[in-house]
Amino acid sequence: MASLFSLPNEVMLSTISARFPARHQQIRTLATLISIRGAGSRNIVLHGLEATGKSAITKNLLEELSNSSTKGQTNGTTHYDNLRFATVKSAECISGRHLLEQTVGAVAKAVEWKDNVGRCENLAQLAVELGKLVDNWTVSAEEDEQRKFVLVFDGIDRQRDAPPTLLQALARLGEIIPNLTSIFIVTSPRPNFLHIPGVPHISFSAYTKPELLQILALTTPTPELPKETKEVWSRYCSAVWDSLSKHSGRDILSFRSVCLRLWPRFIKPILDGSLNPSPFSRLLLANRSLFQTDSALVHNIVSDTSTPTAIPTQSSSNTAKYTGIGAQLPYFSRLLLVAAYLASFNPPKTDVTLFMKAAASKRRKKGGGTALTKGRPGVTKHRKIARKLLGPQAFVLERMLAIFHAIKEDANARGRGNNRVEGAADVQMAVATLASLRLLVRMGSVNSMDVLDAGTKYRVAVGWEVVRGIARSVGVEAEDYLAD
């Protein structure tokens, strides 16, 4: 006669523990709670930060317990068990009703339901549909066969447009439907958030440095070294953690990504034959520049060039001239940002001199000089401070738009701006986009007036170097329009 209580197969648990280091205790606890002949529970809560192994361990453990090769063997005792599961990810559900529909569909697929699945618009219908599916699957079991169904809700605490009683209703499903266990994978649960006492919680704490190094030791980097790859990789990962990932990327995903990204550049001296894998300190000193900058952490913005040239060519310099904001913003948005900078740093009284067509021929180009006149003795000369060193000033939106149309004609004359503004819709949309990106800062109260009102005051939030590059990308020399 089979025992009423028995622990899961030790060989299976050891295999999963070897696959997920530093999670042996969590694996054994979860296996005991969800196995058919273990200490069963209607609801289980798995909580912890992101990238701590909650979803991956749950999926692998359920697959092993539902596998026919391991089913029916627990520590040498032969019996007939049948466990099936379904996983519903809240990240793939756009509303609460979508979550309910996905739940019914996943359960029907797991129990191999042949008929059509009914609609599920609320939690009451969810309980009816799940009860019909699970009960029909349980009743069809053989005489000596025990069946159990596990329903996993991954990231249920971040469900969009969820009903106010969603979690509490899902936790009550085990009381209505026999042989059903619900697993809730959350990040940081509130105390008694299921409104049911005695729910077991399994904590997945953040990985420490030794645990991270143990996990990364299972990764095989590419390219590999002729010899001593594992030893160099282990010491290299420790150096990356201490210099970069310790303060800016503490999860296993970002840590592994940084290590794999910098590895080819780190071992380049070894592959070239200039250095040997040992001593490691000499190799670390030769690549100290990799650990002194944060370029690897922002690889989507900063280009990762493994072999920078000492003397850039003309084509490469032209390509890299307009990077950053200048390469990402549309044409009108760049012109508006230049106009906003000129409106912030030019006094309003100079607009007539700088931007009127009649004064265009008289406008003095920057870089020219004037003859110095000899001042009278005893009179102190006042030194003028450049406007761009005084900080940005507030301006009204109507003034910025007037400057925009003035410099737009200059850009068209240089052949860089061939787009025509057929109305104010494109310009107004560009202004709203710049304000949402915090490139233009709205002054005054938030609810004072409309964002696109002509009298709304703004202040530019970018510096001179950025504006000069953006202005040149649209064919405008910002120095020509900047007051002394």
Side-chain angles (χ1 to χ4, degrees), residues 298-374:
V298 287
H299 61 285
N300 290 330
I301 300 176
V302 180
S303 60
D304 187 12
T305 55
S306 57
T307 57
T309 56
I311 302 177
T313 60
Q314 183 68 22
S315 59
S316 63
S317 61
N318 293 334
T319 304
K321 184 183 296 183
Y322 307 127
T323 57
I325 300 178
Q328 298 174 12
L329 290 178
Y331 175 76
F332 288 152
S333 299
R334 284 179 278 173
L335 274 177
L336 284 170
L337 196 58
V338 176
Y341 183 87
L342 297 176
S344 283
F345 286 90
N346 284 341
K349 62 181 180 181
T350 62
D351 291 349
V352 178
T353 305
L354 295 174
F355 301 108
M356 284 188 64
K357 292 183 179 180
S361 59
K362 301 179 182 180
R363 186 169 60 239
R364 182 175 62 86
K365 303 294 182 180
K366 297 298 183 295
T370 56
L372 294 176
T373 58
K374 185 176 182 181

Side-chain angles (χ1 to χ4, degrees), residues 40 54 61 93 98 111 116 136 242 256 295 340 370:
K54 304 183 297 295
L61 186 58
C93 302
H98 191 195
V111 299
N116 295 329
N136 182 77
D242 292 334
R256 182 190 288 116
S295 59
T370 56

